[in-house]
Amino acid sequence: MKTRRLLTLVLTLALALALAIPAQAADLTYDVPGGKLYFDAATGTITRSDETVTEAVIPSEIYGVPVTAIGDYAFNQRSDLASVTIPDTVTTIGRQAFGGCRSLTQVVLPDSVTSLDQGVFSGCSGLTSVTLSKNLTSIPRETFQTCSSLTGVTLPEGITTIGRDAFAGSGITSLTLPSSVTTLDGSALSNCKSLTSLYIPDSVTYLGEWAISYCTSLTSVRLPNGIKTLPMRLFEDCISLEDCVIPDGVTQMRDVFRFCTGLKTVTIPASVTFIESGTFYGCDSLTDVYYGGTALQWSQIELGGLNDGLDQATIHFAQPVAGFTDVTTYDYYADAVQWAVNQGVTTGTGSNTFSPANTVTRAEAVTFLWRAAGSPAPASMTSPFTDVTDTSAYYYKAVLWAAEQGITSGVGGGAFGLSNPLAYDQIFTFLCRFAGESADGDDWSAAAVNWAQSSGLTDDLSFSAAASCPRADVVYCLWKQLA
């Protein structure tokens, strides 16, 4: 009898606990407009939703359990879903979680989200606005595929990979890739019919096949320095692209411009040794090829068949600039070097060399600026710097003049830093102050860079503010500002 009563009591308590603590149930529900959300308390995941859900305001917790994930296919093909609110407890969003939600127009991913799976918003044809978490490191494959109403999206700094088909068939008209991106995978921007311009930063070291193909409105593209191979079908059917500059260092061109019927001019560096069959197939408008090497070097390129576009084009070979064997007419700094020689800013590093990649010291940079300004005499011949004492040195008057003009105050401790390598932000600062603008305070570097960018000095330059500025870019900046 006692045993039976004890068993009854235990069963009653167990039932009461089960009713009182639903947070341990495997599939809890949460009411939202139009239906329910289903929640797995064991994993903190929204697993699915009713097909009739119209507004998904996801809570930060359900029955006291934090919501940390939106699972695979949780809202997939919910054609009536018009809005979703994601709490800042969510860290991951699963595969195709919102795929095919055609009525969804705006999404904000909180900064708690660090991971997206494949195709999270694929097929969201009504999506017009997306705010991405600043803590994402990749845009996985098919994330925004066929989001035809999405005309633009801001990618946060920290993104390293744009996955295969990530924006394929989307409505983007322009896209800025942050300098953290290293990979633009295959077909990542394929079939973006409204994309007109694309700037790919030098941080990108891998371009996948078909990455920018079938972008029929594309008129302007900037390829990254540092890549060695242009992949297969990179620009296939980009019929509005009229000119393209291949970066120096590229050695192979793999069937790149097939059916680019509007292509008129292309610049090819001397580093190219192989042009695959079909690279210029269908390029019936190609008239001019600007090659960075000699006619002999061009004849040594391994050239495949089906490159009829090259047969009708005029090949222009590079010529030396200002008598320098290491500066040619197709270098972006060619005009700057010619101007610098004409103005007496520099005569090069030897009888026929300019040494464009050589590091520049602060003494040399100030002297270049001083000569470009007409070599004005300083008001006083007394040096304010402890390391500027040789009155016969080529830089002496230049440093004194620059100090008097407020162009430089040295590197601290009474020193000018004659032999210190010149950084980009320093040449920008010199020119900013020379122009009568301010680049002072704790954030002088950022102020100088912002001024240089707004003044057009950084056009065609790839730089990091604190990196050493080579001779080519010092002269280029002087020319942009003073010529």
Side-chain angles (χ1 to χ4, degrees), residues 27 47 53 71 97 170 182 197 207 214 217 221 310 331 384 436-437 481:
D27 213 12
T47 58
V53 166
S170 70
T182 60
S197 64
L207 292 173
Y214 300 102
S217 297
V221 63
L310 289 177
D331 292 320
E437 302 292 337
Q481 178 66 12

Side-chain angles (χ1 to χ4, degrees), residues 339 368-369 372-373 431 434 457 476-483:
W339 166 83
F368 288 170
L369 177 57
L431 289 171
F434 179 74
L457 266 66
Y476 181 82
C477 290
L478 289 169
W479 171 70
K480 291 282 285 186
Q481 178 66 12
L482 302 176

Side-chain angles (χ1 to χ4, degrees), residues 274-335:
F274 175 68
I275 299 178
E276 189 173 273
S277 177
T279 294
F280 291 99
Y281 182 71
C283 297
D284 299 332
S285 299
L286 187 63
T287 57
D288 296 279
V289 174
Y290 297 93
Y291 177 60
T294 64
L296 176 61
Q297 288 173 296
W298 178 261
S299 69
Q300 294 172 341
I301 293 176
E302 184 181 347
L303 182 64
L306 298 177
N307 278 303
D308 299 344
L310 289 177
D311 296 338
Q312 65 198 27
T314 301
I315 312 298
H316 305 270
F317 301 106
Q319 302 296 324
V321 170
F324 298 131
T325 59
D326 54 359
V327 182
T328 72
T329 46
Y330 301 143
D331 292 320
Y332 68 88
Y333 48 81
D335 289 341

Side-chain angles (χ1 to χ4, degrees), residues 11 14 101 242 374 453:
L11 290 175
C101 293
E242 294 187 358
Q453 290 173 330

